[in-house]
CSV table of all heavy atoms in Angstrom, one decimal:
chain,number,residue,atom,x,y,z
X,150,MET,N,0.8,-1.2,0.0
X,150,MET,CA,0.0,0.0,0.0
X,150,MET,C,0.9,1.3,0.0
X,150,MET,O,0.6,2.2,-0.7
X,150,MET,CB,-0.9,0.0,1.2
X,150,MET,CG,-1.9,1.0,1.2
X,150,MET,SD,-3.2,0.7,0.0
X,150,MET,CE,-4.4,1.9,0.4
X,151,GLU,N,1.9,1.2,0.8
X,151,GLU,CA,2.8,2.4,0.8
X,151,GLU,C,3.5,2.7,-0.5
X,151,GLU,O,3.7,3.8,-0.9
X,151,GLU,CB,3.9,2.1,1.9
X,151,GLU,CG,4.9,3.3,2.1
X,151,GLU,CD,4.2,4.6,2.6
X,151,GLU,OE1,3.2,4.5,3.3
X,151,GLU,OE2,4.7,5.7,2.2
X,152,THR,N,3.8,1.7,-1.3
X,152,THR,CA,4.4,1.9,-2.6
X,152,THR,C,3.5,2.5,-3.5
X,152,THR,O,3.9,3.3,-4.4
X,152,THR,CB,4.9,0.5,-3.2
X,152,THR,OG1,3.9,-0.4,-3.3
X,152,THR,CG2,6.1,0.0,-2.3
X,153,ARG,N,2.2,2.3,-3.4
X,153,ARG,CA,1.2,2.9,-4.3
X,153,ARG,C,1.1,4.4,-4.0
X,153,ARG,O,1.0,5.2,-4.8
X,153,ARG,CB,-0.2,2.3,-4.1
X,153,ARG,CG,-0.3,1.0,-4.9
X,153,ARG,CD,-1.7,0.5,-4.8
X,153,ARG,NE,-1.9,-0.7,-5.6
X,153,ARG,CZ,-3.0,-1.4,-5.7
X,153,ARG,NH1,-4.0,-1.0,-5.0
X,153,ARG,NH2,-3.0,-2.4,-6.5
X,154,ARG,N,1.2,4.7,-2.7
X,154,ARG,CA,1.1,6.1,-2.3
X,154,ARG,C,2.3,6.9,-2.7
X,154,ARG,O,2.3,8.0,-3.2
X,154,ARG,CB,1.0,6.3,-0.7
X,154,ARG,CG,-0.4,5.9,-0.2
X,154,ARG,CD,-0.4,6.1,1.3
X,154,ARG,NE,-1.7,5.6,1.8
X,154,ARG,CZ,-1.9,5.3,3.0
X,154,ARG,NH1,-0.9,5.5,3.9
X,154,ARG,NH2,-3.1,4.8,3.4
X,155,ARG,N,3.5,6.2,-2.6
X,155,ARG,CA,4.7,6.9,-3.0
X,155,ARG,C,4.7,7.1,-4.5
X,155,ARG,O,5.1,8.1,-5.1
X,155,ARG,CB,5.9,6.0,-2.6
X,155,ARG,CG,7.2,6.7,-3.0
X,155,ARG,CD,8.4,5.9,-2.5
X,155,ARG,NE,8.4,5.9,-1.0
X,155,ARG,CZ,9.0,5.1,-0.2
X,155,ARG,NH1,9.7,4.1,-0.8
X,155,ARG,NH2,9.0,5.2,1.1
X,156,ALA,N,4.2,6.1,-5.3
X,156,ALA,CA,4.1,6.2,-6.7
X,156,ALA,C,3.2,7.3,-7.1
X,156,ALA,O,3.4,8.1,-8.1
X,156,ALA,CB,3.7,4.9,-7.3
X,157,ALA,N,2.1,7.4,-6.4
X,157,ALA,CA,1.1,8.5,-6.7
X,157,ALA,C,1.7,9.9,-6.4
X,157,ALA,O,1.5,10.8,-7.2
X,157,ALA,CB,-0.2,8.3,-5.8
X,158,ARG,N,2.5,10.0,-5.4
X,158,ARG,CA,3.1,11.3,-5.1
X,158,ARG,C,4.1,11.6,-6.1
X,158,ARG,O,4.2,12.8,-6.6
X,158,ARG,CB,3.8,11.2,-3.7
X,158,ARG,CG,2.8,11.6,-2.6
X,158,ARG,CD,3.6,11.7,-1.3
X,158,ARG,NE,3.2,10.6,-0.5
X,158,ARG,CZ,4.0,9.9,0.3
X,158,ARG,NH1,5.2,10.2,0.4
X,158,ARG,NH2,3.5,8.8,0.9
X,159,ILE,N,4.9,10.6,-6.5
X,159,ILE,CA,5.9,10.9,-7.6
X,159,ILE,C,5.2,11.3,-8.9
X,159,ILE,O,5.6,12.2,-9.6
X,159,ILE,CB,6.8,9.6,-7.8
X,159,ILE,CG1,7.7,9.5,-6.6
X,159,ILE,CG2,7.6,9.8,-9.0
X,159,ILE,CD1,8.5,8.2,-6.6
X,160,GLY,N,4.1,10.6,-9.2
X,160,GLY,CA,3.3,10.9,-10.4
X,160,GLY,C,2.7,12.3,-10.3
X,160,GLY,O,2.6,12.9,-11.4
X,161,LEU,N,2.5,12.9,-9.2
X,161,LEU,CA,2.0,14.2,-9.1
X,161,LEU,C,3.1,15.3,-9.1
X,161,LEU,O,2.9,16.4,-9.6
X,161,LEU,CB,1.2,14.4,-7.8
X,161,LEU,CG,-0.2,13.6,-7.7
X,161,LEU,CD1,-0.7,13.8,-6.3
X,161,LEU,CD2,-1.1,14.2,-8.7
X,162,VAL,N,4.2,14.9,-8.6
X,162,VAL,CA,5.3,15.9,-8.5
X,162,VAL,C,6.2,15.9,-9.7
X,162,VAL,O,6.7,17.0,-10.1
X,162,VAL,CB,6.2,15.5,-7.2
X,162,VAL,CG1,7.4,16.4,-7.2
X,162,VAL,CG2,5.4,15.7,-6.0
X,163,ALA,N,6.3,14.8,-10.4
X,163,ALA,CA,7.2,14.7,-11.6
X,163,ALA,C,6.9,15.8,-12.7
X,163,ALA,O,7.8,16.4,-13.2
X,163,ALA,CB,7.2,13.3,-12.1
X,164,PRO,N,5.6,16.0,-13.0
X,164,PRO,CA,5.3,17.0,-14.0
X,164,PRO,C,5.7,18.4,-13.6
X,164,PRO,O,6.2,19.2,-14.4
X,164,PRO,CB,3.8,16.9,-14.3
X,164,PRO,CG,3.5,15.5,-13.8
X,164,PRO,CD,4.4,15.2,-12.7
X,165,LEU,N,5.6,18.7,-12.3
X,165,LEU,CA,5.9,20.0,-11.8
X,165,LEU,C,7.4,20.2,-11.8
X,165,LEU,O,7.9,21.3,-12.2
X,165,LEU,CB,5.4,20.1,-10.3
X,165,LEU,CG,3.9,20.1,-10.1
X,165,LEU,CD1,3.6,20.2,-8.7
X,165,LEU,CD2,3.3,21.3,-10.9
X,166,VAL,N,8.2,19.2,-11.5
X,166,VAL,CA,9.7,19.2,-11.6
X,166,VAL,C,10.1,19.4,-13.0
X,166,VAL,O,11.0,20.3,-13.3
X,166,VAL,CB,10.3,18.0,-11.0
X,166,VAL,CG1,11.8,18.0,-11.2
X,166,VAL,CG2,10.0,17.9,-9.5
X,167,ALA,N,9.5,18.7,-13.9
X,167,ALA,CA,9.8,18.8,-15.4
X,167,ALA,C,9.5,20.2,-15.9
X,167,ALA,O,10.2,20.8,-16.6
X,167,ALA,CB,9.1,17.7,-16.2
X,168,ALA,N,8.3,20.7,-15.5
X,168,ALA,CA,7.9,22.1,-15.9
X,168,ALA,C,8.9,23.1,-15.4
X,168,ALA,O,9.3,24.1,-16.1
X,168,ALA,CB,6.5,22.4,-15.5
X,169,ALA,N,9.3,23.0,-14.1
X,169,ALA,CA,10.3,23.9,-13.6
X,169,ALA,C,11.6,23.9,-14.3
X,169,ALA,O,12.2,24.9,-14.6
X,169,ALA,CB,10.5,23.7,-12.1
X,170,ALA,N,12.0,22.7,-14.7
X,170,ALA,CA,13.3,22.5,-15.4
X,170,ALA,C,13.2,23.2,-16.8
X,170,ALA,O,14.1,23.9,-17.2
X,170,ALA,CB,13.7,21.1,-15.5
X,171,LEU,N,12.1,23.0,-17.5
X,171,LEU,CA,11.9,23.6,-18.8
X,171,LEU,C,11.8,25.1,-18.7
X,171,LEU,O,12.3,25.8,-19.6
X,171,LEU,CB,10.6,23.0,-19.4
X,171,LEU,CG,10.7,21.5,-19.9
X,171,LEU,CD1,9.4,21.0,-20.4
X,171,LEU,CD2,11.8,21.4,-21.0
X,172,ALA,N,11.1,25.6,-17.7
X,172,ALA,CA,11.1,27.0,-17.5
X,172,ALA,C,12.4,27.6,-17.2
X,172,ALA,O,12.8,28.7,-17.8
X,172,ALA,CB,10.1,27.4,-16.3
X,173,GLY,N,13.2,26.9,-16.4
X,173,GLY,CA,14.6,27.4,-16.2
X,173,GLY,C,15.4,27.4,-17.4
X,173,GLY,O,16.2,28.3,-17.7
X,174,ALA,N,15.3,26.4,-18.3
X,174,ALA,CA,16.0,26.3,-19.5
X,174,ALA,C,15.6,27.4,-20.5
X,174,ALA,O,16.4,28.0,-21.2
X,174,ALA,CB,15.8,24.9,-20.2
X,175,ALA,N,14.3,27.7,-20.5
X,175,ALA,CA,13.8,28.8,-21.3
X,175,ALA,C,14.4,30.1,-20.9
X,175,ALA,O,14.8,31.0,-21.7
X,175,ALA,CB,12.3,28.8,-21.3
X,176,VAL,N,14.4,30.4,-19.6
X,176,VAL,CA,15.0,31.7,-19.1
X,176,VAL,C,16.5,31.7,-19.4
X,176,VAL,O,16.9,32.8,-19.9
X,176,VAL,CB,14.7,31.8,-17.6
X,176,VAL,CG1,15.5,32.9,-17.0
X,176,VAL,CG2,13.3,32.0,-17.3
X,177,PHE,N,17.2,30.7,-19.3
X,177,PHE,CA,18.6,30.6,-19.6
X,177,PHE,C,18.8,30.9,-21.1
X,177,PHE,O,19.7,31.7,-21.5
X,177,PHE,CB,19.2,29.3,-19.2
X,177,PHE,CG,20.7,29.2,-19.6
X,177,PHE,CD1,21.7,29.8,-19.0
X,177,PHE,CD2,21.0,28.4,-20.8
X,177,PHE,CE1,23.0,29.7,-19.4
X,177,PHE,CE2,22.3,28.3,-21.2
X,177,PHE,CZ,23.3,29.0,-20.5
X,178,THR,N,18.0,30.3,-21.9
X,178,THR,CA,18.1,30.5,-23.4
X,178,THR,C,17.9,31.9,-23.8
X,178,THR,O,18.7,32.5,-24.6
X,178,THR,CB,17.2,29.5,-24.1
X,178,THR,OG1,17.4,28.2,-23.7
X,178,THR,CG2,17.3,29.7,-25.6
X,179,VAL,N,16.9,32.5,-23.2
X,179,VAL,CA,16.6,33.9,-23.5
X,179,VAL,C,17.7,34.8,-23.0
X,179,VAL,O,18.2,35.8,-23.7
X,179,VAL,CB,15.2,34.4,-22.9
X,179,VAL,CG1,15.0,35.8,-23.1
X,179,VAL,CG2,14.1,33.6,-23.6
X,180,GLU,N,18.2,34.6,-21.8
X,180,GLU,CA,19.3,35.4,-21.3
X,180,GLU,C,20.6,35.2,-22.1
X,180,GLU,O,21.3,36.2,-22.3
X,180,GLU,CB,19.6,35.0,-19.8
X,180,GLU,CG,18.5,35.5,-18.9
X,180,GLU,CD,18.4,37.0,-18.8
X,180,GLU,OE1,19.5,37.7,-18.8
X,180,GLU,OE2,17.3,37.5,-18.7
X,181,ALA,N,20.8,34.0,-22.6
X,181,ALA,CA,22.1,33.8,-23.3
X,181,ALA,C,22.0,34.2,-24.8
X,181,ALA,O,23.0,34.2,-25.5
X,181,ALA,CB,22.4,32.3,-23.3
X,182,ALA,N,20.8,34.6,-25.3
X,182,ALA,CA,20.6,34.9,-26.7
X,182,ALA,C,21.4,36.2,-27.0
X,182,ALA,O,21.9,36.3,-28.2
X,182,ALA,CB,19.2,35.1,-27.0
X,183,GLY,N,21.6,37.1,-26.1
X,183,GLY,CA,22.4,38.2,-26.4
X,183,GLY,C,21.8,39.3,-27.3
X,183,GLY,O,22.5,40.0,-28.0
X,184,CYS,N,20.5,39.4,-27.3
X,184,CYS,CA,19.8,40.3,-28.1
X,184,CYS,C,19.3,41.5,-27.2
X,184,CYS,O,18.4,41.3,-26.4
X,184,CYS,CB,18.6,39.7,-28.9
X,184,CYS,SG,17.8,40.8,-29.9
X,185,ASP,N,19.8,42.7,-27.4
X,185,ASP,CA,19.4,43.8,-26.6
X,185,ASP,C,18.3,44.6,-27.3
X,185,ASP,O,17.6,45.4,-26.7
X,185,ASP,CB,20.6,44.7,-26.3
X,185,ASP,CG,21.6,44.1,-25.4
X,185,ASP,OD1,21.2,43.2,-24.6
X,185,ASP,OD2,22.8,44.4,-25.6
X,186,ASP,N,18.1,44.4,-28.6
X,186,ASP,CA,17.1,45.1,-29.4
X,186,ASP,C,16.0,44.2,-29.8
X,186,ASP,O,16.1,43.3,-30.7
X,186,ASP,CB,17.7,45.7,-30.6
X,186,ASP,CG,16.8,46.5,-31.5
X,186,ASP,OD1,15.7,46.8,-31.0
X,186,ASP,OD2,17.1,46.7,-32.7
X,187,PRO,N,14.8,44.3,-29.1
X,187,PRO,CA,13.7,43.4,-29.5
X,187,PRO,C,13.1,43.7,-30.8
X,187,PRO,O,12.3,42.9,-31.4
X,187,PRO,CB,12.7,43.6,-28.3
X,187,PRO,CG,13.0,45.0,-27.9
X,187,PRO,CD,14.4,45.2,-28.0
X,188,GLY,N,13.4,44.9,-31.4
X,188,GLY,CA,12.8,45.3,-32.6
X,188,GLY,C,11.4,45.9,-32.4
X,188,GLY,O,10.8,45.8,-31.3
X,189,THR,N,10.9,46.5,-33.5
X,189,THR,CA,9.5,47.1,-33.4
X,189,THR,C,8.8,46.7,-34.7
X,189,THR,O,9.3,46.5,-35.7
X,189,THR,CB,9.6,48.6,-33.3
X,189,THR,OG1,10.4,49.1,-34.4
X,189,THR,CG2,10.2,49.1,-32.0
X,190,LEU,N,7.5,46.6,-34.6
X,190,LEU,CA,6.6,46.4,-35.7
X,190,LEU,C,6.2,47.7,-36.3
X,190,LEU,O,5.7,48.6,-35.6
X,190,LEU,CB,5.4,45.6,-35.3
X,190,LEU,CG,5.6,44.1,-35.1
X,190,LEU,CD1,4.3,43.4,-34.6
X,190,LEU,CD2,6.1,43.4,-36.3
X,191,VAL,N,6.4,47.9,-37.6
X,191,VAL,CA,6.0,49.2,-38.3
X,191,VAL,C,5.0,48.8,-39.3
X,191,VAL,O,5.1,47.9,-40.1
X,191,VAL,CB,7.3,49.8,-38.9
X,191,VAL,CG1,6.9,51.0,-39.7
X,191,VAL,CG2,8.4,50.1,-37.9
X,192,SER,N,3.9,49.6,-39.3
X,192,SER,CA,2.8,49.4,-40.3
X,192,SER,C,3.3,50.0,-41.6
X,192,SER,O,3.7,51.1,-41.7
X,192,SER,CB,1.5,50.1,-39.8
X,192,SER,OG,1.1,49.5,-38.7
X,193,THR,N,3.1,49.2,-42.7
X,193,THR,CA,3.4,49.6,-44.0
X,193,THR,C,2.1,49.3,-44.9
X,193,THR,O,1.2,48.7,-44.4
X,193,THR,CB,4.6,48.9,-44.6
X,193,THR,OG1,4.3,47.5,-44.8
X,193,THR,CG2,5.8,49.0,-43.8
X,194,GLN,N,2.2,49.7,-46.1
X,194,GLN,CA,1.0,49.4,-47.0
X,194,GLN,C,0.8,47.9,-47.2
X,194,GLN,O,-0.2,47.5,-47.6
X,194,GLN,CB,1.2,50.1,-48.3
X,194,GLN,CG,2.4,49.7,-49.1
X,194,GLN,CD,2.5,50.5,-50.4
X,194,GLN,OE1,1.8,51.4,-50.6
X,194,GLN,NE2,3.5,50.1,-51.2
X,195,HIS,N,1.9,47.1,-47.0
X,195,HIS,CA,1.8,45.7,-47.2
X,195,HIS,C,1.5,45.0,-45.9
X,195,HIS,O,1.4,43.7,-45.9
X,195,HIS,CB,3.1,45.2,-47.7
X,195,HIS,CG,3.5,45.8,-49.0
X,195,HIS,ND1,2.8,45.5,-50.2
X,195,HIS,CD2,4.4,46.7,-49.4
X,195,HIS,CE1,3.3,46.2,-51.2
X,195,HIS,NE2,4.3,46.9,-50.7
X,196,GLY,N,1.4,45.7,-44.8
X,196,GLY,CA,1.2,45.1,-43.5
X,196,GLY,C,2.3,45.3,-42.5
X,196,GLY,O,3.2,46.0,-42.8
X,197,PRO,N,2.2,44.8,-41.3
X,197,PRO,CA,3.3,45.0,-40.3
X,197,PRO,C,4.6,44.4,-40.7
X,197,PRO,O,4.6,43.3,-41.3
X,197,PRO,CB,2.7,44.4,-39.1
X,197,PRO,CG,1.7,43.4,-39.5
X,197,PRO,CD,1.1,43.9,-40.8
X,198,VAL,N,5.7,45.1,-40.5
X,198,VAL,CA,7.0,44.6,-40.8
X,198,VAL,C,7.9,44.8,-39.5
X,198,VAL,O,7.8,45.8,-38.9
X,198,VAL,CB,7.6,45.4,-42.0
X,198,VAL,CG1,9.1,45.0,-42.2
X,198,VAL,CG2,6.8,45.2,-43.2
X,199,LEU,N,8.7,43.8,-39.2
X,199,LEU,CA,9.6,43.9,-38.1
X,199,LEU,C,10.8,44.6,-38.5
X,199,LEU,O,11.5,44.3,-39.5
X,199,LEU,CB,10.0,42.5,-37.6
X,199,LEU,CG,11.0,42.4,-36.4
X,199,LEU,CD1,10.3,43.0,-35.2
X,199,LEU,CD2,11.5,41.0,-36.2
X,200,VAL,N,11.1,45.7,-37.7
X,200,VAL,CA,12.3,46.5,-38.0
X,200,VAL,C,13.2,46.4,-36.8
X,200,VAL,O,12.8,46.6,-35.7
X,200,VAL,CB,11.9,48.0,-38.2
X,200,VAL,CG1,13.1,48.9,-38.4
X,200,VAL,CG2,11.0,48.1,-39.4
X,201,GLY,N,14.5,46.1,-37.1
X,201,GLY,CA,15.5,45.9,-36.0
X,201,GLY,C,15.3,44.5,-35.4
X,201,GLY,O,14.9,43.6,-36.1
X,202,GLY,N,15.8,44.4,-34.2
X,202,GLY,CA,15.7,43.1,-33.6
X,202,GLY,C,16.8,42.2,-33.9
X,202,GLY,O,17.7,42.6,-34.6
X,203,CYS,N,16.8,41.0,-33.4
X,203,CYS,CA,17.9,40.0,-33.6
X,203,CYS,C,17.4,39.0,-34.6
X,203,CYS,O,17.3,37.8,-34.2
X,203,CYS,CB,18.3,39.4,-32.3
X,203,CYS,SG,18.9,40.7,-31.1
X,204,THR,N,17.2,39.3,-35.8
X,204,THR,CA,16.7,38.4,-36.8
X,204,THR,C,17.9,38.0,-37.7
X,204,THR,O,18.9,38.8,-37.8
X,204,THR,CB,15.6,38.9,-37.7
X,204,THR,OG1,16.1,40.1,-38.3
X,204,THR,CG2,14.4,39.2,-36.8
X,205,VAL,N,17.9,36.9,-38.3
X,205,VAL,CA,18.9,36.5,-39.2
X,205,VAL,C,18.5,37.0,-40.6
X,205,VAL,O,17.4,36.6,-41.1
X,205,VAL,CB,19.1,35.0,-39.2
X,205,VAL,CG1,20.1,34.5,-40.2
X,205,VAL,CG2,19.4,34.5,-37.8
X,206,PRO,N,19.2,37.9,-41.2
X,206,PRO,CA,18.8,38.5,-42.5
X,206,PRO,C,18.5,37.5,-43.6
X,206,PRO,O,17.6,37.7,-44.4
X,206,PRO,CB,20.0,39.3,-42.9
X,206,PRO,CG,20.7,39.6,-41.7
X,206,PRO,CD,20.5,38.4,-40.8
X,207,SER,N,19.1,36.3,-43.6
X,207,SER,CA,18.9,35.4,-44.7
X,207,SER,C,17.5,34.6,-44.5
X,207,SER,O,17.0,34.0,-45.4
X,207,SER,CB,20.0,34.4,-44.8
X,207,SER,OG,20.1,33.6,-43.6
X,208,LEU,N,17.0,34.7,-43.2
X,208,LEU,CA,15.7,34.0,-43.0
X,208,LEU,C,14.5,34.9,-43.1
X,208,LEU,O,13.4,34.4,-43.2
X,208,LEU,CB,15.8,33.4,-41.5
X,208,LEU,CG,16.8,32.3,-41.3
X,208,LEU,CD1,16.8,31.9,-39.8
X,208,LEU,CD2,16.6,31.2,-42.2
X,209,VAL,N,14.7,36.2,-43.0
X,209,VAL,CA,13.6,37.2,-43.1
X,209,VAL,C,13.8,38.1,-44.3
X,209,VAL,O,14.8,38.8,-44.4
X,209,VAL,CB,13.5,38.0,-41.8
X,209,VAL,CG1,12.4,39.0,-41.9
X,209,VAL,CG2,13.4,37.0,-40.6
X,210,THR,N,12.8,38.2,-45.1
X,210,THR,CA,12.9,39.1,-46.3
X,210,THR,C,12.1,40.4,-45.9
X,210,THR,O,11.0,40.3,-45.5
X,210,THR,CB,12.1,38.5,-47.5
X,210,THR,OG1,12.7,37.2,-47.8
X,210,THR,CG2,12.3,39.4,-48.7
X,211,PRO,N,12.8,41.5,-45.9
X,211,PRO,CA,12.2,42.8,-45.5
X,211,PRO,C,10.9,43.0,-46.3
X,211,PRO,O,10.9,42.8,-47.5
X,211,PRO,CB,13.2,43.8,-45.8
X,211,PRO,CG,14.5,43.1,-45.8
X,211,PRO,CD,14.2,41.7,-46.3
X,212,GLY,N,9.8,43.4,-45.6
X,212,GLY,CA,8.6,43.7,-46.3
X,212,GLY,C,7.8,42.5,-46.6
X,212,GLY,O,6.6,42.6,-47.1
X,213,HIS,N,8.3,41.3,-46.3
X,213,HIS,CA,7.5,40.1,-46.6
X,213,HIS,C,6.4,39.9,-45.6
X,213,HIS,O,6.6,40.0,-44.4
X,213,HIS,CB,8.4,38.9,-46.6
X,213,HIS,CG,7.6,37.6,-46.9
X,213,HIS,ND1,7.2,37.3,-48.1
X,213,HIS,CD2,7.3,36.6,-46.1
X,213,HIS,CE1,6.6,36.1,-48.1
X,213,HIS,NE2,6.6,35.7,-46.8
X,214,THR,N,5.2,39.7,-46.1
X,214,THR,CA,4.1,39.4,-45.2
X,214,THR,C,3.4,38.1,-45.6
X,214,THR,O,3.7,37.6,-46.6
X,214,THR,CB,3.0,40.6,-45.2
X,214,THR,OG1,2.6,40.7,-46.6
X,214,THR,CG2,3.7,41.9,-44.8
X,215,ALA,N,2.5,37.7,-44.8
X,215,ALA,CA,1.8,36.4,-45.1
X,215,ALA,C,0.9,36.7,-46.3
X,215,ALA,O,0.5,37.8,-46.6
X,215,ALA,CB,0.9,36.1,-43.9
X,216,PRO,N,0.6,35.6,-47.1
X,216,PRO,CA,-0.2,35.8,-48.3
X,216,PRO,C,-1.6,36.2,-47.9
X,216,PRO,O,-2.1,35.8,-46.8
X,216,PRO,CB,-0.2,34.4,-48.9
X,216,PRO,CG,0.2,33.5,-47.8
X,216,PRO,CD,1.1,34.3,-46.9
X,217,HIS,N,-2.2,37.1,-48.7
X,217,HIS,CA,-3.5,37.5,-48.5
X,217,HIS,C,-4.5,36.5,-49.1
X,217,HIS,O,-4.2,35.8,-50.0
X,217,HIS,CB,-3.7,38.9,-49.1
X,217,HIS,CG,-2.8,40.0,-48.6
X,217,HIS,ND1,-3.0,40.5,-47.3
X,217,HIS,CD2,-1.7,40.5,-49.0
X,217,HIS,CE1,-2.1,41.4,-47.1
X,217,HIS,NE2,-1.3,41.4,-48.1
X,218,GLY,N,-5.7,36.6,-48.6
X,218,GLY,CA,-6.7,35.7,-49.1
X,218,GLY,C,-7.4,34.9,-47.9
X,218,GLY,O,-7.0,35.1,-46.8
X,219,SER,N,-8.3,34.1,-48.2
X,219,SER,CA,-9.0,33.4,-47.2
X,219,SER,C,-8.2,32.2,-46.7
X,219,SER,O,-7.3,31.8,-47.4
X,219,SER,CB,-10.4,32.9,-47.7
X,219,SER,OG,-10.2,31.9,-48.7
X,220,ALA,N,-8.6,31.6,-45.6
X,220,ALA,CA,-8.0,30.5,-45.1
X,220,ALA,C,-8.1,29.3,-46.1
X,220,ALA,O,-7.2,28.5,-46.2
X,220,ALA,CB,-8.5,30.1,-43.7
X,221,GLU,N,-9.2,29.2,-46.8
X,221,GLU,CA,-9.4,28.2,-47.8
X,221,GLU,C,-8.4,28.3,-48.9
X,221,GLU,O,-7.8,27.3,-49.4
X,221,GLU,CB,-10.8,28.2,-48.3
X,221,GLU,CG,-11.8,27.8,-47.3
X,221,GLU,CD,-13.3,27.9,-47.8
X,221,GLU,OE1,-13.4,28.4,-48.9
X,221,GLU,OE2,-14.2,27.6,-47.0
X,222,ASP,N,-8.2,29.6,-49.4
X,222,ASP,CA,-7.2,29.8,-50.5
X,222,ASP,C,-5.8,29.4,-50.0
X,222,ASP,O,-5.1,28.8,-50.8
X,222,ASP,CB,-7.2,31.3,-50.9
X,222,ASP,CG,-8.5,31.7,-51.5
X,222,ASP,OD1,-9.2,30.8,-52.0
X,222,ASP,OD2,-8.8,32.9,-51.6
X,223,GLN,N,-5.4,29.7,-48.8
X,223,GLN,CA,-4.1,29.4,-48.3
X,223,GLN,C,-4.0,27.8,-48.2
X,223,GLN,O,-2.9,27.3,-48.5
X,223,GLN,CB,-3.9,30.0,-47.0
X,223,GLN,CG,-3.7,31.5,-47.1
X,223,GLN,CD,-3.6,32.2,-45.8
X,223,GLN,OE1,-3.3,31.6,-44.8
X,223,GLN,NE2,-3.7,33.5,-45.8
X,224,ALA,N,-5.0,27.2,-47.7
X,224,ALA,CA,-5.0,25.7,-47.6
X,224,ALA,C,-4.9,25.1,-49.0
X,224,ALA,O,-4.1,24.1,-49.2
X,224,ALA,CB,-6.2,25.2,-46.9
X,225,ASP,N,-5.6,25.6,-50.0
X,225,ASP,CA,-5.5,25.1,-51.4
X,225,ASP,C,-4.1,25.3,-51.9
X,225,ASP,O,-3.5,24.4,-52.6
X,225,ASP,CB,-6.5,25.8,-52.3
X,225,ASP,CG,-7.9,25.3,-52.0
X,225,ASP,OD1,-8.1,24.3,-51.3
X,225,ASP,OD2,-8.8,26.1,-52.4
X,226,ALA,N,-3.4,26.4,-51.6
X,226,ALA,CA,-2.1,26.7,-52.1
X,226,ALA,C,-1.1,25.7,-51.5
X,226,ALA,O,-0.1,25.3,-52.1
X,226,ALA,CB,-1.7,28.1,-51.8
X,227,ARG,N,-1.3,25.3,-50.2
X,227,ARG,CA,-0.4,24.4,-49.6
X,227,ARG,C,-0.5,23.0,-50.2
X,227,ARG,O,0.4,22.3,-50.3
X,227,ARG,CB,-0.7,24.3,-48.1
X,227,ARG,CG,0.0,25.5,-47.3
X,227,ARG,CD,-0.1,25.3,-45.8
X,227,ARG,NE,-0.6,26.6,-45.3
X,227,ARG,CZ,-1.7,26.8,-44.6
X,227,ARG,NH1,-2.5,25.8,-44.3
X,227,ARG,NH2,-2.0,28.0,-44.2
X,228,ARG,N,-1.8,22.6,-50.5
X,228,ARG,CA,-2.0,21.3,-51.1
X,228,ARG,C,-1.5,21.1,-52.5
X,228,ARG,O,-1.1,20.1,-52.9
X,228,ARG,CB,-3.5,21.0,-51.1
X,228,ARG,CG,-4.0,20.5,-49.7
X,228,ARG,CD,-5.4,20.1,-49.8
X,228,ARG,NE,-6.1,21.0,-48.8
X,228,ARG,CZ,-7.3,21.5,-49.0
X,228,ARG,NH1,-7.9,21.2,-50.1
X,228,ARG,NH2,-7.8,22.3,-48.1
X,229,GLY,N,-1.4,22.3,-53.2
X,229,GLY,CA,-0.8,22.2,-54.5
X,229,GLY,C,-1.9,22.3,-55.5
X,229,GLY,O,-2.3,22.1,-56.4
């Protein structure tokens, strides 16, 4: 009977310990990123654009926004 209680307690505490470890890892990752400029969103005629910040230029095309159209049009485009 005691082993069942111990297992139940471990089953309740283990997710909390895992969540605390993941939260700590997230804070460490953000602190270690070394980005002092979060950037700002600027409204343009094409939609909001991120200016500044710690982005990798080869991954972000300036002025690029999500395709316009309905969700159905976008789903059709993804399917081919």
